[in-house]
Amino acid sequence: QLDPLQVKQAIQQTMMEWGLPEAIRMDNGTPWGTQSPLPSALGLWLVGFGMRLVYGRPRCSTDNAVVERSHGVLADWVEPSHCRDFAHCQAQLAWAAHT
């Protein structure tokens, strides 16, 4: 479960560094999507910056295949249960992100 405030802070930091994107592809789960036809609070916040929201079709991971595949690869490379401690897990994650 992602904390919407942390997601918002990470997006703000990314926008400060790279600028505003024209669109953002979002997952249908929390905090991105809702069961309502209206956007989530996070989605509305992004629309306020003039971004177009792009949602994948529910349960169609092939719509975002590159990202979905990278999640599997990252899980193989940085499996927390295989790490000795938090520092080791952090180091593995940094290595995987760099790679």
Side-chain angles (χ1 to χ4, degrees):
Q1 186 72 10
L2 297 173
D3 175 13
L5 182 58
Q6 289 179 322
V7 172
K8 196 173 175 180
Q9 289 170 341
I11 292 171
Q12 282 177 312
Q13 182 63 39
T14 302
M15 289 189 304
M16 286 172 38
E17 190 171 331
W18 294 93
L20 294 174
E22 291 178 18
I24 187 166
R25 180 179 297 274
M26 301 196 336
D27 193 292
N28 293 299
T30 304
W32 310 106
T34 67
Q35 298 298 322
S36 163
L38 299 174
S40 66
L42 183 59
L44 289 172
W45 177 73
L46 292 168
V47 168
F49 286 105
M51 284 183 230
R52 185 171 48 89
L53 306 180
V54 179
Y55 290 95
R57 294 174 296 162
R59 294 173 296 284
C60 291
S61 59
T62 55
D63 286 355
N64 205 14
V66 173
V67 171
E68 296 294 339
R69 178 66 183 131
S70 72
H71 291 174
V73 170
L74 185 60
D76 288 344
W77 288 357
V78 189
E79 177 55 47
S81 64
H82 296 149
C83 295
R84 293 183 300 275
D85 54 27
F86 181 75
H88 180 238
C89 193
Q90 247 183 336
Q92 283 295 104
L93 184 57
W95 170 83
H98 176 76
T99 301

